[in-house]
Each structure stands twice: as structure tokens, then as C-alpha cells.
Amino acid sequence: MADDEVQETEAITESQAEIAPAKVTPLDPPKYEIRPKLGEKFQADNVREIIIQIMQEQLMGRVYRVDQAPHWAKMIANGVRSKVEDLGMKRYKIMAQTTIMEMKGAGAKCAQRCIWDPETDDYAASHYRNDSIFCYTICYGVYMY
């Protein structure tokens, strides 16, 4: 038994001698994007053009119908959101809201209030009107930190 113990200890010391210490390489520092780069900011002018185009495509030549207005509003908001996402603004949360009302001669007031970073976040809005429809669409771009 003593010979077996000696052989095991010799085997352990030989295997320990063969293992070289691991080479430690420092890790790269984390790369957090706190602000969008200059070309990646919210493109309000391009978004406004998209809003106008989508509203005209969906509403031109239509007469207000109370049963179809919710469907039109969803189509416009989803179309605006998907086309704005195709612009490739990284790390932006895109939100679109559309309101469609019947033109009856009455006035309407609307206001939004948001808490955001004015250096990175922005919005674009436009309206469309014909003889029977008034449509207002707004698209927000909020940078996700």
C-alpha cells in the first residue's frame, strides 16, 4: 500500500508541473451608448414626410364613416411606425398615434406632454383634411438608454 501512495503522489506532482499558469488578458471596457451618434438622431423631417404620404394614401378621396374610422386610424399608425422603423434609427422606441374626426365645423383642441431628453428625443406631426375628414398623426422617437 505504501508503494501505491508514493506512485499517486508522484503522478500528482508530475501533472501539476505540466500545467502552466493561465495567461490573464484584460477585458475591453464596456461600450455603453449614452447618446446617439450624429447621423443616428431622430429624423423629424423625414418622419413628417412619411406621415403626410401615409395619410394621403389612406384617406384621399374617402368620406368619413364612423364604422371605418378606427380601422383607418390603425392602418395609418401602423404604416407610419413600420416605415419610420425602416429608416434605421438605432435604439429608438417609435410610437405613432392617429386621431380621425369628422369635419362638422366644430373645433377641437389637443395637447401632449412628455418628459424626455431634448437632446435625443423628438417627434414629428402633421394633419390631413378634406371635406369630411380631419386626421392628425404624431410620431414620437424616444432614445432607449
Side-chain angles (χ1 to χ4, degrees):
M1 277 211 165
D3 291 332
D4 291 336
E5 289 178 13
V6 172
Q7 289 177 355
E8 286 180 26
T9 57
E10 288 176 3
I12 291 173
T13 57
E14 288 176 7
S15 64
Q16 288 175 348
E18 293 175 5
I19 299 175
K23 194 174 196 180
V24 178
T25 57
L27 298 174
D28 291 335
K31 298 176 182 170
Y32 299 111
E33 294 182 24
I34 297 176
R35 299 270 185 249
K37 295 175 184 164
L38 185 61
E40 295 176 352
K41 286 192 172 188
F42 188 79
Q43 305 165 14
D45 293 334
N46 292 342
V47 173
R48 191 170 295 108
E49 290 174 12
I50 289 171
I51 291 171
I52 292 169
Q53 174 193 356
I54 298 284
M55 285 193 299
Q56 286 177 350
E57 287 174 3
Q58 291 292 324
L59 299 175
M60 184 145 324
R62 295 196 181 194
V63 177
Y64 183 83
R65 288 182 43 193
V66 70
D67 61 329
Q68 291 293 313
H71 175 70
W72 297 338
K74 286 179 189 176
M75 294 293 291
I76 292 169
N78 289 337
V80 167
R81 186 180 48 79
S82 67
K83 281 206 174 184
V84 170
E85 286 175 351
D86 290 343
L87 291 176
M89 294 178 282
K90 296 179 184 175
R91 299 186 65 166
Y92 270 93
K93 172 75 175 179
I94 304 298
M95 297 165 279
Q97 177 183 358
T98 300
T99 304
I100 297 178
M101 298 178 283
E102 185 176 13
M103 294 282 285
K104 287 277 192 170
K109 293 187 179 181
C110 175
Q112 292 91 22
R113 184 174 223 177
C114 299
I115 298 174
W116 64 20
D117 185 353
E119 292 181 18
T120 59
D121 306 336
D122 205 355
Y123 74 96
S126 187
H127 68 277
Y128 172 86
R129 83 173 76 177
N130 64 18
D131 293 337
S132 67
I133 297 174
F134 179 82
C135 179
Y136 180 77
T137 300
I138 187 165
C139 182
Y140 299 97
V142 180
Y143 191 75
M144 305 299 286
Y145 292 101

PDB file of all heavy atoms in Angstrom, residues 62 67-76:
ATOM      1  N   ARG A  62     -61.712  59.656 -49.665  1.00  0.00           N
ATOM      2  CA  ARG A  62     -62.659  58.971 -48.780  1.00  0.00           C
ATOM      3  C   ARG A  62     -63.578  59.960 -48.105  1.00  0.00           C
ATOM      4  O   ARG A  62     -63.242  61.122 -47.896  1.00  0.00           O
ATOM      5  CB  ARG A  62     -61.914  58.168 -47.714  1.00  0.00           C
ATOM      6  CG  ARG A  62     -61.114  57.045 -48.319  1.00  0.00           C
ATOM      7  CD  ARG A  62     -60.721  56.056 -47.294  1.00  0.00           C
ATOM      8  NE  ARG A  62     -59.936  54.999 -47.947  1.00  0.00           N
ATOM      9  CZ  ARG A  62     -59.658  53.868 -47.402  1.00  0.00           C
ATOM     10  NH1 ARG A  62     -60.069  53.595 -46.195  1.00  0.00           N
ATOM     11  NH2 ARG A  62     -58.947  52.968 -48.056  1.00  0.00           N
ATOM     12  N   ASP A  67     -67.944  53.780 -38.879  1.00  0.00           N
ATOM     13  CA  ASP A  67     -67.583  52.376 -38.715  1.00  0.00           C
ATOM     14  C   ASP A  67     -66.193  52.052 -39.274  1.00  0.00           C
ATOM     15  O   ASP A  67     -65.571  51.071 -38.875  1.00  0.00           O
ATOM     16  CB  ASP A  67     -68.637  51.467 -39.361  1.00  0.00           C
ATOM     17  CG  ASP A  67     -68.785  51.709 -40.853  1.00  0.00           C
ATOM     18  OD1 ASP A  67     -68.578  52.856 -41.298  1.00  0.00           O
ATOM     19  OD2 ASP A  67     -69.111  50.749 -41.585  1.00  0.00           O
ATOM     20  N   GLN A  68     -65.664  52.870 -40.190  1.00  0.00           N
ATOM     21  CA  GLN A  68     -64.355  52.628 -40.792  1.00  0.00           C
ATOM     22  C   GLN A  68     -63.232  53.465 -40.185  1.00  0.00           C
ATOM     23  O   GLN A  68     -62.060  53.132 -40.353  1.00  0.00           O
ATOM     24  CB  GLN A  68     -64.420  52.914 -42.296  1.00  0.00           C
ATOM     25  CG  GLN A  68     -65.244  51.913 -43.075  1.00  0.00           C
ATOM     26  CD  GLN A  68     -64.589  50.546 -43.068  1.00  0.00           C
ATOM     27  OE1 GLN A  68     -63.396  50.412 -43.299  1.00  0.00           O
ATOM     28  NE2 GLN A  68     -65.388  49.526 -42.794  1.00  0.00           N
ATOM     29  N   ALA A  69     -63.548  54.522 -39.477  1.00  0.00           N
ATOM     30  CA  ALA A  69     -62.525  55.428 -38.938  1.00  0.00           C
ATOM     31  C   ALA A  69     -61.526  54.720 -38.013  1.00  0.00           C
ATOM     32  O   ALA A  69     -60.314  54.960 -38.134  1.00  0.00           O
ATOM     33  CB  ALA A  69     -63.182  56.606 -38.229  1.00  0.00           C
ATOM     34  N   PRO A  70     -61.943  53.838 -37.097  1.00  0.00           N
ATOM     35  CA  PRO A  70     -60.939  53.156 -36.260  1.00  0.00           C
ATOM     36  C   PRO A  70     -59.969  52.287 -37.079  1.00  0.00           C
ATOM     37  O   PRO A  70     -58.769  52.238 -36.779  1.00  0.00           O
ATOM     38  CB  PRO A  70     -61.774  52.286 -35.314  1.00  0.00           C
ATOM     39  CG  PRO A  70     -63.121  52.918 -35.291  1.00  0.00           C
ATOM     40  CD  PRO A  70     -63.302  53.522 -36.647  1.00  0.00           C
ATOM     41  N   HIS A  71     -60.486  51.648 -38.105  1.00  0.00           N
ATOM     42  CA  HIS A  71     -59.630  50.822 -38.972  1.00  0.00           C
ATOM     43  C   HIS A  71     -58.624  51.694 -39.721  1.00  0.00           C
ATOM     44  O   HIS A  71     -57.443  51.352 -39.830  1.00  0.00           O
ATOM     45  CB  HIS A  71     -60.496  50.023 -39.943  1.00  0.00           C
ATOM     46  CG  HIS A  71     -59.720  49.237 -40.942  1.00  0.00           C
ATOM     47  ND1 HIS A  71     -58.970  48.130 -40.601  1.00  0.00           N
ATOM     48  CD2 HIS A  71     -59.556  49.412 -42.283  1.00  0.00           C
ATOM     49  CE1 HIS A  71     -58.383  47.665 -41.689  1.00  0.00           C
ATOM     50  NE2 HIS A  71     -58.730  48.418 -42.714  1.00  0.00           N
ATOM     51  N   TRP A  72     -59.076  52.818 -40.251  1.00  0.00           N
ATOM     52  CA  TRP A  72     -58.172  53.725 -40.957  1.00  0.00           C
ATOM     53  C   TRP A  72     -57.086  54.254 -40.013  1.00  0.00           C
ATOM     54  O   TRP A  72     -55.921  54.361 -40.398  1.00  0.00           O
ATOM     55  CB  TRP A  72     -58.934  54.893 -41.562  1.00  0.00           C
ATOM     56  CG  TRP A  72     -59.934  54.534 -42.604  1.00  0.00           C
ATOM     57  CD1 TRP A  72     -59.966  53.399 -43.373  1.00  0.00           C
ATOM     58  CD2 TRP A  72     -61.064  55.310 -42.995  1.00  0.00           C
ATOM     59  NE1 TRP A  72     -61.042  53.429 -44.222  1.00  0.00           N
ATOM     60  CE2 TRP A  72     -61.746  54.594 -44.023  1.00  0.00           C
ATOM     61  CE3 TRP A  72     -61.591  56.521 -42.608  1.00  0.00           C
ATOM     62  CZ2 TRP A  72     -62.891  55.068 -44.635  1.00  0.00           C
ATOM     63  CZ3 TRP A  72     -62.740  57.001 -43.217  1.00  0.00           C
ATOM     64  CH2 TRP A  72     -63.385  56.280 -44.218  1.00  0.00           C
ATOM     65  N   ALA A  73     -57.474  54.592 -38.790  1.00  0.00           N
ATOM     66  CA  ALA A  73     -56.505  55.121 -37.815  1.00  0.00           C
ATOM     67  C   ALA A  73     -55.433  54.071 -37.511  1.00  0.00           C
ATOM     68  O   ALA A  73     -54.242  54.397 -37.437  1.00  0.00           O
ATOM     69  CB  ALA A  73     -57.220  55.553 -36.547  1.00  0.00           C
ATOM     70  N   LYS A  74     -55.838  52.820 -37.335  1.00  0.00           N
ATOM     71  CA  LYS A  74     -54.861  51.759 -37.072  1.00  0.00           C
ATOM     72  C   LYS A  74     -53.941  51.553 -38.266  1.00  0.00           C
ATOM     73  O   LYS A  74     -52.730  51.359 -38.106  1.00  0.00           O
ATOM     74  CB  LYS A  74     -55.574  50.442 -36.747  1.00  0.00           C
ATOM     75  CG  LYS A  74     -56.191  50.417 -35.378  1.00  0.00           C
ATOM     76  CD  LYS A  74     -56.900  49.096 -35.149  1.00  0.00           C
ATOM     77  CE  LYS A  74     -57.709  49.131 -33.871  1.00  0.00           C
ATOM     78  NZ  LYS A  74     -58.484  47.898 -33.682  1.00  0.00           N
ATOM     79  N   MET A  75     -54.508  51.581 -39.461  1.00  0.00           N
ATOM     80  CA  MET A  75     -53.691  51.395 -40.667  1.00  0.00           C
ATOM     81  C   MET A  75     -52.652  52.521 -40.805  1.00  0.00           C
ATOM     82  O   MET A  75     -51.491  52.265 -41.148  1.00  0.00           O
ATOM     83  CB  MET A  75     -54.580  51.359 -41.909  1.00  0.00           C
ATOM     84  CG  MET A  75     -55.504  50.154 -41.976  1.00  0.00           C
ATOM     85  SD  MET A  75     -54.628  48.608 -42.201  1.00  0.00           S
ATOM     86  CE  MET A  75     -54.055  48.816 -43.861  1.00  0.00           C
ATOM     87  N   ILE A  76     -53.063  53.747 -40.539  1.00  0.00           N
ATOM     88  CA  ILE A  76     -52.144  54.881 -40.650  1.00  0.00           C
ATOM     89  C   ILE A  76     -51.049  54.783 -39.593  1.00  0.00           C
ATOM     90  O   ILE A  76     -49.858  54.908 -39.894  1.00  0.00           O
ATOM     91  CB  ILE A  76     -52.910  56.215 -40.552  1.00  0.00           C
ATOM     92  CG1 ILE A  76     -53.801  56.398 -41.777  1.00  0.00           C
ATOM     93  CG2 ILE A  76     -51.953  57.388 -40.392  1.00  0.00           C
ATOM     94  CD1 ILE A  76     -54.793  57.534 -41.667  1.00  0.00           C
TER      95      ILE A  76
END
